[in-house]
Tab-separated table of all heavy atoms in Angstrom:
chain	number	residue	atom	x	y	z
A	391	PHE	N	-3.846	4.107	-38.950
A	391	PHE	CA	-4.527	5.378	-39.106
A	391	PHE	C	-3.898	6.146	-40.260
A	391	PHE	O	-4.496	6.777	-41.058
A	391	PHE	CB	-4.509	6.109	-37.773
A	391	PHE	CG	-5.161	7.451	-37.830
A	391	PHE	CD1	-6.587	7.498	-37.789
A	391	PHE	CD2	-4.488	8.618	-37.822
A	391	PHE	CE1	-7.253	8.656	-37.800
A	391	PHE	CE2	-5.142	9.767	-37.731
A	391	PHE	CZ	-6.553	9.834	-37.851
A	392	ALA	N	-2.555	6.332	-40.227
A	392	ALA	CA	-1.777	7.061	-41.287
A	392	ALA	C	-2.117	6.598	-42.663
A	392	ALA	O	-2.371	7.396	-43.609
A	392	ALA	CB	-0.281	6.995	-40.998
A	395	MET	N	-5.494	7.625	-43.729
A	395	MET	CA	-5.683	9.043	-44.096
A	395	MET	C	-5.102	9.333	-45.467
A	395	MET	O	-5.582	10.089	-46.191
A	395	MET	CB	-4.920	9.957	-43.048
A	395	MET	CG	-5.565	9.957	-41.558
A	395	MET	SD	-7.247	10.664	-41.577
A	395	MET	CE	-8.226	9.247	-41.453
A	400	PHE	N	-5.351	12.623	-47.738
A	400	PHE	CA	-4.877	13.613	-46.861
A	400	PHE	C	-3.512	13.495	-46.674
A	400	PHE	O	-3.000	12.343	-46.652
A	400	PHE	CB	-5.735	13.613	-45.632
A	400	PHE	CG	-7.295	13.784	-45.801
A	400	PHE	CD1	-8.050	12.777	-45.760
A	400	PHE	CD2	-7.640	15.025	-46.458
A	400	PHE	CE1	-9.495	12.957	-46.062
A	400	PHE	CE2	-9.075	15.188	-46.701
A	400	PHE	CZ	-9.970	14.237	-46.533
A	401	GLU	N	-2.774	14.561	-46.283
A	401	GLU	CA	-1.440	14.675	-46.234
A	401	GLU	C	-0.824	14.215	-44.761
A	401	GLU	O	-1.299	14.933	-43.748
A	401	GLU	CB	-0.816	16.075	-46.556
A	401	GLU	CG	0.694	15.905	-46.745
A	401	GLU	CD	1.165	17.316	-47.046
A	401	GLU	OE1	0.470	18.324	-47.155
A	401	GLU	OE2	2.538	17.523	-47.159
A	402	VAL	N	-0.140	13.133	-44.778
A	402	VAL	CA	0.572	12.771	-43.437
A	402	VAL	C	1.906	13.550	-43.353
A	402	VAL	O	2.725	13.309	-44.275
A	402	VAL	CB	0.689	11.149	-43.383
A	402	VAL	CG1	1.506	10.841	-42.022
A	402	VAL	CG2	-0.616	10.545	-43.356
A	403	LEU	N	2.089	14.258	-42.431
A	403	LEU	CA	3.221	15.356	-42.551
A	403	LEU	C	4.447	14.616	-41.890
A	403	LEU	O	5.585	15.208	-42.138
A	403	LEU	CB	2.896	16.566	-41.681
A	403	LEU	CG	1.663	17.349	-42.103
A	403	LEU	CD1	1.461	18.538	-41.208
A	403	LEU	CD2	1.812	17.795	-43.486
A	404	ASN	N	4.457	13.552	-41.143
A	404	ASN	CA	5.726	12.994	-40.635
A	404	ASN	C	5.788	11.630	-41.061
A	404	ASN	O	4.848	10.983	-41.639
A	404	ASN	CB	5.527	12.937	-39.083
A	404	ASN	CG	4.381	11.990	-38.603
A	404	ASN	OD1	3.365	11.947	-39.106
A	404	ASN	ND2	4.716	11.216	-37.587
A	411	VAL	N	1.176	10.424	-35.308
A	411	VAL	CA	0.826	10.648	-36.746
A	411	VAL	C	0.281	12.146	-36.760
A	411	VAL	O	-0.407	12.667	-35.944
A	411	VAL	CB	-0.385	9.764	-37.268
A	411	VAL	CG1	-0.690	9.923	-38.748
A	411	VAL	CG2	-0.125	8.382	-37.008
A	412	LEU	N	0.856	12.795	-37.794
A	412	LEU	CA	0.459	14.174	-37.913
A	412	LEU	C	-0.282	14.339	-39.329
A	412	LEU	O	0.296	13.943	-40.431
A	412	LEU	CB	1.620	15.148	-37.944
A	412	LEU	CG	2.491	15.159	-36.672
A	412	LEU	CD1	3.806	15.821	-36.883
A	412	LEU	CD2	1.799	15.610	-35.581
A	413	VAL	N	-1.544	14.633	-39.282
A	413	VAL	CA	-2.272	14.852	-40.647
A	413	VAL	C	-2.734	16.278	-40.841
A	413	VAL	O	-3.233	16.852	-39.946
A	413	VAL	CB	-3.521	13.871	-40.502
A	413	VAL	CG1	-4.247	13.797	-41.902
A	413	VAL	CG2	-3.115	12.548	-39.965
A	414	SER	N	-2.623	16.663	-42.225
A	414	SER	CA	-3.234	17.951	-42.557
A	414	SER	C	-4.394	17.691	-43.477
A	414	SER	O	-4.313	16.818	-44.250
A	414	SER	CB	-2.119	18.793	-43.263
A	414	SER	OG	-2.796	19.813	-43.897
A	415	PHE	N	-5.362	18.433	-43.200
A	415	PHE	CA	-6.688	18.331	-44.165
A	415	PHE	C	-6.782	19.482	-45.006
A	415	PHE	O	-7.851	19.855	-45.486
A	415	PHE	CB	-7.906	18.218	-43.251
A	415	PHE	CG	-7.824	16.945	-42.380
A	415	PHE	CD1	-7.327	16.903	-41.113
A	415	PHE	CD2	-8.298	15.692	-42.902
A	415	PHE	CE1	-7.176	15.741	-40.295
A	415	PHE	CE2	-8.270	14.510	-42.226
A	415	PHE	CZ	-7.744	14.536	-40.897
A	421	THR	N	-8.109	21.943	-40.991
A	421	THR	CA	-7.694	20.929	-40.068
A	421	THR	C	-8.245	21.178	-38.553
A	421	THR	O	-8.638	20.312	-37.936
A	421	THR	CB	-6.115	21.104	-40.149
A	421	THR	OG1	-5.655	20.757	-41.471
A	421	THR	CG2	-5.489	20.046	-39.208
A	425	ILE	N	-10.522	18.590	-36.285
A	425	ILE	CA	-10.139	18.251	-35.074
A	425	ILE	C	-11.293	18.589	-33.937
A	425	ILE	O	-11.666	17.742	-33.173
A	425	ILE	CB	-8.817	18.935	-34.592
A	425	ILE	CG1	-7.670	18.420	-35.480
A	425	ILE	CG2	-8.383	18.641	-33.122
A	425	ILE	CD1	-6.370	19.399	-35.296
A	445	ARG	N	-0.836	23.657	-39.411
A	445	ARG	CA	-1.584	23.003	-38.425
A	445	ARG	C	-1.838	21.549	-38.776
A	445	ARG	O	-1.865	21.134	-39.904
A	445	ARG	CB	-3.035	23.703	-38.343
A	445	ARG	CG	-2.912	25.080	-37.723
A	445	ARG	CD	-2.569	25.136	-36.393
A	445	ARG	NE	-3.503	24.519	-35.342
A	445	ARG	CZ	-3.175	24.098	-34.212
A	445	ARG	NH1	-1.851	24.362	-33.622
A	445	ARG	NH2	-4.148	23.535	-33.425
A	446	ALA	N	-1.843	20.626	-37.764
A	446	ALA	CA	-1.963	19.237	-38.040
A	446	ALA	C	-2.802	18.647	-36.881
A	446	ALA	O	-2.729	19.128	-35.729
A	446	ALA	CB	-0.594	18.666	-38.031
A	447	MET	N	-3.497	17.584	-37.285
A	447	MET	CA	-4.208	16.754	-36.285
A	447	MET	C	-3.028	15.863	-35.652
A	447	MET	O	-2.140	15.337	-36.442
A	447	MET	CB	-5.224	15.746	-37.080
A	447	MET	CG	-5.761	14.844	-35.984
A	447	MET	SD	-7.055	13.636	-36.867
A	447	MET	CE	-8.359	14.587	-36.873
A	448	ARG	N	-2.900	15.786	-34.407
A	448	ARG	CA	-1.863	15.085	-33.667
A	448	ARG	C	-2.533	13.892	-33.090
A	448	ARG	O	-3.252	13.973	-32.123
A	448	ARG	CB	-1.232	16.017	-32.691
A	448	ARG	CG	-0.064	15.425	-32.064
A	448	ARG	CD	0.475	16.390	-31.072
A	448	ARG	NE	1.499	15.734	-30.370
A	448	ARG	CZ	1.140	14.839	-29.289
A	448	ARG	NH1	-0.052	14.639	-29.142
A	448	ARG	NH2	2.174	14.121	-28.820
A	449	PHE	N	-2.128	12.735	-33.765
A	449	PHE	CA	-2.687	11.358	-33.405
A	449	PHE	C	-1.767	10.517	-32.726
A	449	PHE	O	-0.730	10.218	-33.252
A	449	PHE	CB	-3.337	10.831	-34.656
A	449	PHE	CG	-4.101	9.542	-34.333
A	449	PHE	CD1	-5.593	9.619	-34.012
A	449	PHE	CD2	-3.598	8.323	-34.493
A	449	PHE	CE1	-6.280	8.652	-33.980
A	449	PHE	CE2	-4.492	7.164	-34.260
A	449	PHE	CZ	-5.844	7.374	-33.974
Side-chain angles (χ1 to χ4, degrees):
F391 183 74
M395 290 298 105
F400 303 111
E401 193 184 358
V402 176
L403 301 178
N404 65 317
V411 187
L412 303 171
V413 189
S414 164
F415 295 92
T421 299
I425 296 166
R445 289 297 292 165
M447 174 184 281
R448 187 179 167 288
F449 190 84

